[in-house]
């Protein structure tokens, strides 16, 4: 029994490894340059924000470094945006693989999730590396809170990704529809426009945005005293609910559509 169990686990790991390699080769052209572009692409967000503030001659909303402001806000968004979308695209792009006996639907989802975790980690590292190269000081004052915010970002992105996978298998057009809530979360997260600058009526509503709470936690690692009112428990509840809905949907509802 132990030998059979070990063999089953080894087979499962081999399947995940093969799916991850196939995913990287098909999506990034099978070259280091292709994957490198995908990793470095999120840096464009920082350049856009910096350019917008320079052109409009607007002062830095928090502190005196626009690079630090952009990095501290965009790091959680980069993880949430790319991971939640790419997890959804995985099963839609690789549906034919599910017909192989060794490959399960959940294998395809998790292989894409693991690839996105690695890509997100490299992207954040690249953002810090490039920022340091241009002379910006973006070392967290509280590294622990920054790491916590990154874990929250990964957990929230994965929970949202599971739900996106579930919905997109029933309603394939969700892949395009999700752009709208994604943009809403982006513009109400304080990434570009600090929430403190928003009208009181708007501020009351953006409190329901989990990404905004995560951005608060992330910035608390860079700005002393910032983000003390972040609702961490709320983020955990939303993350757990999204993951539960997505996993239950993939377990009990999605197989009917696949068959």
């Amino acid at each position: 029994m132990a030998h059979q169990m070990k063999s089953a686990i080894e087979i499962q790991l081999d399947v995940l490894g093969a799916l991850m390699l196939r995913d990287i080769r098909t999506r990034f052209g099978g070259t280091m340059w292709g994957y490198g572009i995908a990793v470095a692409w999120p840096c464009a967000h920082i350049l856009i924000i910096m350019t917008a503030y320079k052109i409009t001659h607007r002062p830095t909303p928090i502190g005196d470094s626009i690079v630090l402001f952009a990095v501290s806000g965009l790091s959680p968004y980069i993880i949430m945006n790319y991971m939640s979308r790419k997890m959804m695209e995985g099963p839609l792009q690789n549906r034919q693989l599910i017909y192989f006996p060794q490959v399960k639907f959940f294998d395809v989802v998790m292989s894409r999730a693991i690839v996105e975790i690695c890509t997100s980690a490299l992207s954040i590292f690249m953002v810090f590396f490039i920022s340091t190269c241009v002379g910006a000081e973006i070392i967290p004052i509280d590294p622990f809170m920054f790491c916590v915010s990154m874990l929250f970002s990964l957990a929230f992105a994965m929970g949202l990704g599971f739900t996106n996978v579930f919905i997109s298998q029933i309603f394939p057009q969700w892949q395009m529809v999700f752009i709208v809530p994604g943009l809403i979360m982006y513009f109400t997260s304080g990434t570009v426009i600090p929430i403190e600058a928003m009208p009181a009526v708007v501020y009351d509503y953006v409190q329901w945005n989990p990404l905004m709470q995560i951005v608060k936690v992330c910035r608390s690692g860079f700005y002393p005293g910032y983000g003390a009112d972040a609702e961490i428990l709320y983020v955990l509840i939303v993350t757990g609910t999204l993951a539960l809905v997505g996993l239950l949907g993939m377990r009990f509802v999605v197989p009917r559509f696949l068959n």
Side-chain angles (χ1 to χ4, degrees), residues 60-73 137-142 145 215-228:
T60 304
I62 305 174
D64 55 3
S65 172
I66 185 60
V67 178
L68 181 57
F69 172 76
V71 170
S72 61
E137 296 183 3
I138 55 172
I139 299 176
I141 297 175
D142 189 344
M145 291 307 297
V215 169
K216 276 187 177 182
V217 177
C218 184
R219 284 194 168 134
S220 69
F222 296 89
Y223 302 101
Y226 187 89

Side-chain angles (χ1 to χ4, degrees), residues 91-108:
L92 295 174
Q93 296 172 349
N94 299 285
R95 183 179 292 269
Q96 70 278 8
L97 296 177
I98 303 172
Y99 297 105
F100 288 93
Q102 295 87 355
V103 180
K104 305 296 188 295
F105 180 83
F106 191 68
D107 294 335
V108 177

Side-chain angles (χ1 to χ4, degrees), residues 130-259:
I130 293 178
S131 300
T132 303
C133 289
V134 298
E137 296 183 3
I138 55 172
I139 299 176
I141 297 175
D142 189 344
F144 176 74
M145 291 307 297
F146 174 73
C147 293
V148 167
S149 70
M150 294 296 96
L151 291 176
F152 282 162
S153 301
L154 284 173
F156 175 62
M158 184 170 288
L160 185 57
F162 285 143
T163 299
N164 280 344
V165 170
F166 166 45
I167 297 175
S168 63
Q169 290 300 308
I170 301 172
F171 180 58
Q173 291 79 7
W174 178 251
Q175 188 174 356
M176 296 299 298
V177 175
F178 180 69
I179 294 176
V180 176
L183 288 174
I184 292 175
M185 283 193 290
Y186 173 64
F187 286 110
T188 61
S189 65
T191 299
V192 180
I193 303 173
I195 56 174
E196 293 79 10
M198 298 179 182
V201 178
V202 177
Y203 182 82
D204 292 338
Y205 285 102
V206 301
Q207 293 289 323
W208 295 96
N209 183 357
L211 182 62
M212 186 272 286
Q213 303 292 345
I214 298 174
V215 169
K216 276 187 177 182
V217 177
C218 184
R219 284 194 168 134
S220 69
F222 296 89
Y223 302 101
Y226 187 89
D229 58 341
E231 297 290 344
I232 296 177
L233 180 59
Y234 171 69
V235 174
L236 294 176
I237 292 174
V238 173
T239 298
T241 302
L242 288 171
L244 184 62
V245 170
L247 290 172
L248 289 177
M250 287 191 292
R251 174 64 179 85
F252 297 105
V253 180
V254 170
R256 299 182 182 181
F257 287 82
L258 295 177
N259 293 333

Side-chain angles (χ1 to χ4, degrees), residues 4 17 20 42 45 55-56 60 66 106 108-109 111 115 117-118 126 132 140-141 149 153 204 221 225 243:
Q4 292 178 350
M20 290 170 59
H45 290 281
I55 292 177
T56 57
T60 304
I66 185 60
F106 191 68
V108 177
V109 175
S111 65
V115 170
I117 289 174
C118 297
M126 185 66 69
T132 303
I141 297 175
S149 70
S153 301
D204 292 338

